């Protein structure tokens, strides 16, 4: 097991890591489309604010469409790479964070532009802003994901158990609108987390177990 803030206590199989890397590559093209679209939208959007022109507006709209389309495609492709259950309202909170970051980045870029700095300084400001947005997205995922399955293993909150250490997975109703998910390691205490039923699709969970878990790993009652 490992904590996502530290190293593996029992490293996963190299084959599992390679399998996950191959699967992740499938979504990189869509992610690149989203990133490039977002970058172009920031640049063109800045030009719309400081020196409006129909061309800049059209480029901004097309870039936003590419960014949104790439983001949706990335999400769809990543479903084949991992299964996640989030805390309630994770999507809304994440969208609010990203929206706030975009507004802050645009304001920062406008401030840099108002200082009559060189063009390269504006490009650096945009790159820093995009990196900050990516960091906020990664941090949000770490804080708001409760349960995750992928080719490497099972993540329960901030603890990851490689598949070779998992004997079985568990699912139990624990109250109105709540379900407890868990993993039973070979030589460690079981790990559990309660999730809201509105955040859990049990059909997708069963499909993910069949896709990612080694043959013979069962999803049972605790």
């Amino acid at each position: 097991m490992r904590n996502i803030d530290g190293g593996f206590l029992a490293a996963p199989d190299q084959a599992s890591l390679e399998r996950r890397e191959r699967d992740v590559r499938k979504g990189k093209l869509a992610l690149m489309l989203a990133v490039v679209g977002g970058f172009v939208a920031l640049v063109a959007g800045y030009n719309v604010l400081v020196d409006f022109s129909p061309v800049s507006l059209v480029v901004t709209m097309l870039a936003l469409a590419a960014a949104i389309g790439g983001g949706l495609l990335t999400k769809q492709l990543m479903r084949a790479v991992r299964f996640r259950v989030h805390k309630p309202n994770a999507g809304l909170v994440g969208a609010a964070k990203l929206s706030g970051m975009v507004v802050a980045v645009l304001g920062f870029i406008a401030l840099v532009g108002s200082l009559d700095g060189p063009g390269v300084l504006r490009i650096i400001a945009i790159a820093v802003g995009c990196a900050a947005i990516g960091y906020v997205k990664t941090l949000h995922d770490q804080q708001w994901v409760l349960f995750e399955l992928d080719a490497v293993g099972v993540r329960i909150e901030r603890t990851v158990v490689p598949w070779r250490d998992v004997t079985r997975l568990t699912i139990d109703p624990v109250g109105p609108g709540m379900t407890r998910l868990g993993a039973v390691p070979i030589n460690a205490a079981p790990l559990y987390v309660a999730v809201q039923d509105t955040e859990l699709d049990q059909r997708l969970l069963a499909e993910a177990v069949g896709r990612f878990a080694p043959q013979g790993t069962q999803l049972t009652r605790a």
Side-chain angles (χ1 to χ4, degrees), residues 85-167:
V85 181
H86 295 83
K87 296 178 182 178
N89 301 317
L92 291 176
V93 174
K97 288 180 180 178
L98 292 179
S99 298
M101 283 298 301
V102 169
V103 172
V105 168
L106 288 175
F108 179 63
I109 294 171
L111 176 61
V112 171
S114 68
L115 298 177
D116 294 326
V120 66
L121 185 59
R122 299 178 186 178
I123 299 299
I124 292 175
I126 294 172
V128 170
C130 291
I133 291 173
Y135 173 76
V136 169
K137 176 65 168 62
T138 300
L139 189 62
H140 174 78
D141 286 343
Q142 290 183 357
Q143 294 174 339
W144 286 76
V145 173
L146 294 174
F147 182 86
E148 179 177 347
L149 301 178
D150 63 14
V152 170
V154 185
R155 171 181 165 186
I156 306 289
E157 294 187 291
R158 302 182 71 82
T159 301
V160 177
V161 186
W163 282 120
R164 69 180 187 183
D165 292 341
V166 176
T167 60

Side-chain angles (χ1 to χ4, degrees), residues 39-54:
F39 183 82
V40 173
L42 284 175
V43 175
Y46 169 77
N47 290 330
V48 169
L49 291 175
V50 300
D51 187 16
F52 177 81
S53 70

